[in-house]
Amino acid sequence: MRILLIGAGGTLGGAVRQALAARGHEVIGVGRSGGDLVADVSDPAAVARLYAAAGPLDAVAVAAGDAVFRPLGELTADDIAATFRGKALSQLELVRQGSRHISPTGSFTLVSGVLTEEPIVAGAAASAANGAVEAFVRAAAIELPPQRINAVSPAVAEESLPAYGPFFAGMEAVPAARVATAYVRSVEGAQTGQVYRVR
């Protein structure tokens, strides 16, 4: 399969790319500042250019998403808007436009996260954006067939603990390679409308 992978240069994206490539797939990596293709997927016009440059695809997978972590009393309207744009709206736009660009039986794999059901202090915006992604997956799954859509909801990656560990006190981390197996399941499997929780 030809797979467009958003965030291929990140910790999770690198593991997903390796897992998919090891199974014989052609992975086209996308990043904001580097990769096979460069795009800021929070910009709908950039998403359109991305699909035009990518050519025929069998699947789109997302392994990145920006969120603002700030206590609720300090969150601004701009923080919330930036989080929804970076984590939720960008992924919705990839699907909205992408359904015309992937194969008739192709798939989308989005990313949410543990904060959907296990909130933390300073994570309200991220929790809300994750919840929006998961709700969208369930709704889109009834309209997309024969195309499929799922989400992967990982706990914090072990490799990301130096940066994010303080936010996730007492929560068990998982290796990025184990999260990547859920992407393989979504891309190669037959299910749709699922949220694969990796804890």
Side-chain angles (χ1 to χ4, degrees):
M1 295 185 204
R2 281 190 96 238
I3 303 168
L4 192 69
L5 175 60
I6 314 300
T11 298
L12 176 57
V16 173
R17 181 171 201 153
Q18 183 176 357
L20 292 171
R23 297 182 63 81
H25 300 297
E26 178 187 354
V27 181
I28 302 123
V30 179
R32 267 192 306 234
S33 58
D36 302 311
L37 295 171
V38 176
D40 177 1
V41 297
S42 67
D43 175 6
V47 171
R49 292 191 295 271
L50 173 63
Y51 279 123
L57 298 166
D58 298 296
V60 175
V62 185
D66 294 331
V68 176
F69 288 86
R70 191 165 288 154
L72 184 60
E74 299 174 16
L75 269 180
T76 66
D78 286 344
D79 292 335
I80 295 171
T83 299
F84 268 79
R85 188 168 54 251
K87 186 67 185 278
L89 297 181
S90 57
Q91 298 195 76
L92 272 61
E93 189 65 17
L94 282 162
V95 176
R96 188 186 73 81
Q97 294 192 38
S99 61
R100 303 188 297 273
H101 294 277
I102 69 170
S103 63
T105 56
S107 70
F108 297 93
T109 303
L110 308 186
V111 63
S112 59
V114 66
L115 299 186
T116 312
E117 65 275 346
E118 296 187 38
I120 59 171
V121 172
S127 291
N130 285 347
V133 171
E134 294 186 11
F136 174 76
V137 164
R138 289 189 291 270
I142 68 173
E143 298 191 53
L144 281 174
Q147 293 174 343
R148 299 181 301 104
I149 183 169
N150 298 298
V152 174
S153 173
V156 64
E158 288 179 354
E159 296 86 344
S160 299
L161 286 178
Y164 295 104
F167 291 110
F168 293 88
M171 298 177 76
E172 189 171 352
V174 297
R178 185 151 76 83
V179 180
T181 63
Y183 281 80
V184 172
R185 180 181 180 189
S186 178
V187 169
E188 295 186 4
Q191 291 185 315
T192 191
Q194 302 300 304
V195 177
Y196 299 121
R197 306 193 189 280
V198 187
R199 305 287 188 261

